[in-house]
Amino acid sequence: MLNDVLTRPVPQDVARDERAPEAPTAGSWTAPVLSASGDAGVDLRESIRAKLTFALGRTPETARPRDWFAATALALRERIVAAALAAERSVPNKRVYYLSLEFLIGRLMSDAMNNLGLTETTRAALRELGVDLDAVQEAEPDAALGNGGLGRLAACFMESMASIGIPAMGYGIRYDHGLFRQSFEDGWQREAPETWLAEGNPWEFARPEATYAIGFGGTVTMSSAEEGVIRRHWQPAETVRAVAHDVPVVGWRGRHVNALRLWKAEAGEPVDLARFNGGDHVGAVAARMRAEAISRVLYPSDSSAEGQELRLRQEYFFTAASIQDLVARHVAERGDIRSLPDHAAIQLNDTHPAIAVPELMRVLIDAHGLSWEDAWHVTTHTLHYTNHTLLPEALETWPVELMERLLPRHMQIIYLINWMHLEEQAKHARQDTASDNAAYLASISLIDESHGRRVRMGHLAFHGARRVNGVSALHTDLMRSTVFSDLHALDTDKIVNKTNGITFRRWFHNANPGLTRLAVETVGAGVLDNPELLRGLEAHAEDPVFVARYAAVRRERKEALADLIAERTGIDVDPAALFDVQVKRIHEYKRQLLNILETVALYQAIKAEPHRDWTPRVKIFAGKAAPSYVQAKLIIKLACDVAKAVNDDPEVAGRLKVVFLPNYSVSLAEAIIPAADLSEQISTAGLEASGTGNMKFALNGALTVGTLDGANIEIRDHVGADNIFIFGLEADGVKARQAEPDYAAKAIQASPRLAAALDMIAAGRFSPEEPGRFRSLTDDLRRRDQYLLTADFDDYWRVQRAIDAAWRDPRGWWAKAIRNTARMAWFSSDRAMREYAEEIWRVRLG
């Protein structure tokens, strides 16, 4: 049965908790590698033909590329089912449950074909049907389930867990429209709903039997139980149904299959018939619309009270459904809820699922009758928390009033957790005065009383977790010394580091097949299973024959990207130029504006000396700004206006082009990253937790220009200081400079080049129809400059000119690029997952 594909049947001799719905079990299966030889191609061809006819109702003559994609995906899905069914069905000793509000999985066909060993078999099968595989792959929409690095990391981790044999299930939301589809209208970002589900998702399995009731609002009553125990009963005012949809995650060589379970929100009743028959046709479906809004859009704007409430509803909805699901599964398999920590490890990916702390306590106490002490032991030995940011605005807090109204039982639990926590710490306080003691307790409290009483979700996750991890060495050290310094002092073993990683199957094998073939031919096929063997490429870094082949692979990808740029923007770029790339979420701390300022300064320099031998550059930007983030959207507009002026100026032709590609996505990243020569990782030191784009670019041979921030430090340590371009203040220097009065004004005064660039922008040179358009950006840099662009500008200019010189030495450039590829194996997400398994989750690898 299809229901058994991603879930195992529950043994009949295991007792069930009658209070919980029957939950199918999930895990990983070990299966033989599917063969791509013999009759596999014929079988796959006929399977695709059958799916096209009988599942989609199309003939080859009437089928669109989207139909061929769906038919091929369904045929490949059958092979994934076969891998699952062929495996041993014993219940794993321990599973990992990965809770994340985002899973940026992108297109899945290339992953499925590659990991099953069926890419060329699929290509041949489609060719015999008169269809091109590349066109079929292009017809697959990117799954709109994430925004940026947080979601892409979750996707990499899920693939790696399946590849190395960790039984796991991911939990998230099945967004109808995801973030948004970005387009540009005269350089301004415009947002439209993403319609990736308009024609269904052939990869998923609907699981209506795994449906849970999720409550909101209402009241909490009390009753006396045995031995005078007081029981509390939450009676929600509103109930929403969470319905599961499973997407298979197939590991490398098809040996293991895990599941990504995504929750869709539905109303208890699709229509209020009494109101409908009474003539209120719109009001009759109001409850349905309110419920379904939960899984409509990722990150609804929180600039309004309604938007804040919807965000909290989303976070509780998917977290509560996931907790109920995994608890029901555990009880079905093991019987005793107290053994949950022995058989389950729950990882909270950032603070979005931090509500899992009181939710798990509620389920254990109210539904399963555990004492507070036993429930707290189970909770704090099952949950683990990954922090991804030191930015105050990204460390979520929720108004107490909103929490009390929406989740009254959870606020009771949070209050009690906090009271017991503060009482315990008050006994050991060592401050000299009462005011010091009060300040100390306020700093570790789960409730922030200084900003209108808000629940600190980071503190809540920290307190309820067995382990808290940062995602790079620098980020972890800063967690200990800044945002969680007082909490860290209470338990100095709780915070650990687990530097992020990326899956090489997606970002090397699939994204750069030419370079992968070259690696296999040079160091052997074992490199596909063991990326450490990439180190063998280093011996060829100065071999003219190998260098020529390596450069030819890059040139091929640059030509493909140039064609894509022309198709999507109408801008022609020269593949022989240095491709200088900054692609990521648009945010002031990521400092796209610093890159634009250097672009303007370079434009001015070329105009001043047009006959100088300038290094040809193509500046490539991509990324989305949050719809309500005014400054970020203005930065996009500035980039587009600068691009128009530069690209239309004949005096700089052939030496500088600027491109902003719309609607950045995983599939667009797969086209850009292998074509990049220079990777811009220029965030303000101390603010980027890790980054994973920096790893993807370096693996594919792009040289990094960056600050000593996030994982850039570890990348430098691995690739070597001579093979990376570092500039700017370090984290300690940033803090010291921010303490100086008028540091921005002094920096601008000391840099004529920076002052001229700012003046050009402020004077309206790039916006003649609206001269003051960018004045808020330039005025902010002159007055405040929170992210120290002015302090780092001159050093950034210096290192960019060093990059110009390096590009003019092809032999030296390619040696650096090859060493980057050769030395990046440590940044595999397989390594990261093994570290999590051994040191945090205590899970045996399959």
Side-chain angles (χ1 to χ4, degrees), residues 330-388:
H330 174 80
V331 171
E333 292 176 349
R334 307 288 177 179
D336 183 7
I337 191 61
R338 290 173 177 81
S339 66
L340 185 65
D342 298 328
H343 302 291
I346 302 172
Q347 190 70 36
L348 309 179
N349 192 29
D350 217 352
T351 54
H352 306 128
I355 197 68
V357 178
E359 172 64 10
L360 184 53
M361 289 291 289
R362 182 191 71 82
V363 170
L364 295 173
I365 294 170
D366 296 357
H368 290 270
L370 268 62
S371 67
W372 178 274
E373 292 75 14
D374 287 347
W376 188 242
H377 174 84
V378 169
T379 296
T380 55
H381 285 75
T382 304
L383 297 178
H384 311 273
Y385 161 51
T386 300
N387 173 272
H388 285 282

Side-chain angles (χ1 to χ4, degrees), residues 574-770:
D574 182 2
L578 187 155
F579 278 16
D580 176 352
V581 178
Q582 187 174 19
V583 290
K584 55 185 69 219
R585 178 168 55 95
I586 309 300
H587 195 291
E588 288 170 280
Y589 91 85
K590 293 180 182 288
R591 302 205 297 190
Q592 286 91 353
L593 184 54
L594 176 60
N595 193 347
I596 298 169
L597 286 172
E598 193 271 338
T599 304
V600 172
L602 179 58
Y603 175 57
Q604 292 175 318
I606 295 173
K607 294 274 287 182
E609 299 181 83
H611 302 297
R612 183 174 161 186
D613 185 20
W614 295 97
T615 297
R617 276 193 192 232
V618 178
K619 292 262 194 176
I620 300 171
F621 295 88
K624 297 178 181 180
S628 60
Y629 194 169
V630 175
Q631 290 294 83
K633 295 175 81 168
L634 194 58
I635 289 170
I636 290 177
K637 174 60 174 169
L638 175 60
C640 292
D641 284 355
V642 169
K644 187 175 186 303
V646 169
N647 298 341
D648 290 347
D649 193 329
E651 283 192 321
V652 298
R655 283 158 300 181
L656 182 63
K657 285 284 183 78
V658 183
V659 175
F660 203 120
L661 281 163
N663 205 41
Y664 188 50
S665 62
V666 175
S667 56
L668 183 54
E670 290 173 317
I672 293 173
I673 288 171
D677 297 307
L678 187 66
S679 162
E680 298 269 355
Q681 309 296 330
I682 60 177
S683 53
T684 309
L687 295 185
E688 185 72 83
S690 170
T692 55
N694 46 7
M695 302 171 190
K696 297 161 194 167
F697 280 106
L699 174 64
N700 284 277
L703 304 190
T704 301
V705 55
T707 53
L708 286 176
D709 194 27
N712 288 353
I713 297 172
E714 288 150 291
I715 290 176
R716 177 202 61 181
D717 294 343
H718 281 266
V719 305
D722 293 337
N723 302 302
I724 190 171
F725 298 97
I726 298 297
F727 75 96
L729 296 170
E730 298 184 30
D732 289 343
V734 167
K735 188 175 181 181
R737 183 63 59 88
Q738 288 174 330
E740 296 177 10
D742 301 323
Y743 60 83
K746 294 175 183 176
I748 295 169
Q749 185 177 9
S751 175
R753 183 173 285 110
L754 172 59
L758 288 171
D759 288 344
M760 191 176 196
I761 295 169
R765 170 62 179 79
F766 301 104
S767 54
E769 73 283 6
E770 187 184 346

Side-chain angles (χ1 to χ4, degrees), residues 382-548:
T382 304
L383 297 178
H384 311 273
Y385 161 51
T386 300
N387 173 272
H388 285 282
T389 184
L390 304 174
L391 293 173
E393 65 268 25
L395 283 169
E396 283 189 314
T397 63
W398 293 110
V400 167
E401 179 277 329
L402 175 60
M403 292 278 287
E404 288 178 332
R405 175 167 53 82
L406 208 61
L407 302 170
R409 178 63 179 128
H410 298 76
M411 271 312 302
Q412 290 181 344
I413 294 171
I414 290 170
Y415 282 137
L416 186 51
I417 292 173
N418 197 42
W419 178 78
M420 297 176 74
H421 167 54
L422 295 180
E423 282 289 298
E424 180 65 23
Q425 300 314 316
K427 297 176 185 177
H428 307 292
R430 299 180 180 177
Q431 282 68 28
D432 295 331
T433 67
S435 62
D436 286 342
N437 188 42
Y440 167 70
L441 293 178
S443 73
I444 64 173
S445 174
L446 305 186
I447 311 296
D448 181 0
E449 305 281 355
S450 63
H451 299 90
R453 300 191 72 230
R454 302 178 70 91
V455 180
R456 292 165 161 157
M457 303 307 285
H459 280 48
L460 179 62
F462 187 105
H463 193 51
R466 190 183 74 85
R467 286 287 182 267
V468 176
N469 72 279
V471 290
S472 72
L474 174 64
H475 171 237
T476 301
D477 287 343
L478 290 173
M479 280 173 58
R480 292 170 177 146
S481 63
T482 59
V483 292
F484 293 131
S485 58
D486 289 330
L487 291 172
H488 170 60
L490 302 178
D491 185 349
T492 56
D493 294 328
K494 179 172 278 195
I495 297 179
V496 296
N497 180 58
K498 293 288 166 279
T499 298
N500 286 341
I502 58 173
T503 170
F504 283 27
R505 270 81 57 183
R506 165 79 74 159
W507 295 107
F508 194 61
H509 302 182
N510 291 349
N512 206 339
L515 187 54
T516 301
R517 282 193 296 271
L518 179 58
V520 168
E521 293 169 9
T522 305
V523 301
V527 73
L528 298 176
D529 299 280
N530 180 10
E532 290 291 340
L533 296 178
L534 283 171
R535 194 79 187 205
L537 298 179
E538 191 169 347
H540 303 272
E542 298 188 33
D543 173 3
V545 174
F546 180 82
V547 169

